[in-house]
Amino acid sequence: MSPVVPLPPTALYRRCTLDSVAFNTTDDLGDSVEFIGQDRAIKALELGVSLRRQGYNIFVLGPSGTGRHTLVRRLVEERAAQEAPPDDWCYVNNFSQPYIPIALRLPAGMGKELQRDMERLVEDLHTGLSSAFESEEYQTRRRVLEGEFQERQQQSLSELQEEARRRNLTLLRTPSGLAFAPLRNGEVLPPEEFQKLPEAEQQRIQREVAALQEQLQRMLLQVPRWEREFRTRLRELNQEMAGLVVNDLTDDLEEKYAALPHVLEYLAAVKQDVSNRLEDFLSDGEEKPDTPPVAPPGMEARSRAAARRRYAVNVLVDAGEATG
């Protein structure tokens, strides 16, 4: 048996040099990865990713460590790099049918933009509408409408009072409502004195009171109609003021999305909805929509949150982010 001869250090390793390497650093290398013995699988995958019809799927099967996930990802990414970026898809509120949201299709990357634009719009609406309804112009025009309504009632009551005085009667406000009473020397005739009048005089006064009472009832029947007219005109004023604010805030958005008719339709629906729901921006929920006050701080925060949810844009597919 030959004796064991120790190996010299030079025989224990192989010295490698970079003289035969065709690159300076690994940054000069490409990202290509070779998959040995996968020719059939690669051809099948290339065919699969090239199909442009719906309903087809790719099923990949193989033992762990064979690089199947890396291979599929590389082929898909290579194919995607040759295609135009897919569109974004967003869900927005359908104001006429809240349980059936509307899907908006936008160019890649614009879904997030629309989402941010609507968030800013809600904040600007709260600020702009509050300022508009606190303005001196609005308060003055509202006081004019209220004054006209009150003057209309006072004018009708004054005319009826004058007619009563010509008949030697007066119109009184009693706990049970308005009533007529006879006068004597400018003073209301007490009931006991009225009973002392001749029967014919009592009957005449009663006929006069009945005639005036009928006129009073006709006038009182007009009050609800006057109130409706007042509310209608006030609502028109509120919508006019709101429209100025909303149109000013959405002009830039309509110009930005002018090439997307479905987005313009959504913005038009938002404008109409804001006009119909001013109380969400201004009131505490106890006032009527046609008389919007400024909300207290706590309620304002809740109304802002509700408005953000109502006008939120939910981005389902953000192709801009996926390809960025």
Side-chain angles (χ1 to χ4, degrees), residues 178-180 208-218 220:
L178 297 173
F180 292 96
E208 298 283 1
V209 168
L212 290 175
Q213 194 69 35
E214 185 177 345
Q215 293 184 39
L216 175 62
Q217 290 301 319
R218 287 198 298 268
L220 293 177

Side-chain angles (χ1 to χ4, degrees), residues 103-121:
L104 298 181
R105 184 174 185 174
L106 296 92
M110 293 196 72
K112 285 290 186 182
E113 288 190 39
L114 180 61
Q115 185 181 61
R116 289 190 293 266
D117 287 338
M118 292 306 299
E119 290 172 353
R120 285 193 293 267
L121 177 62

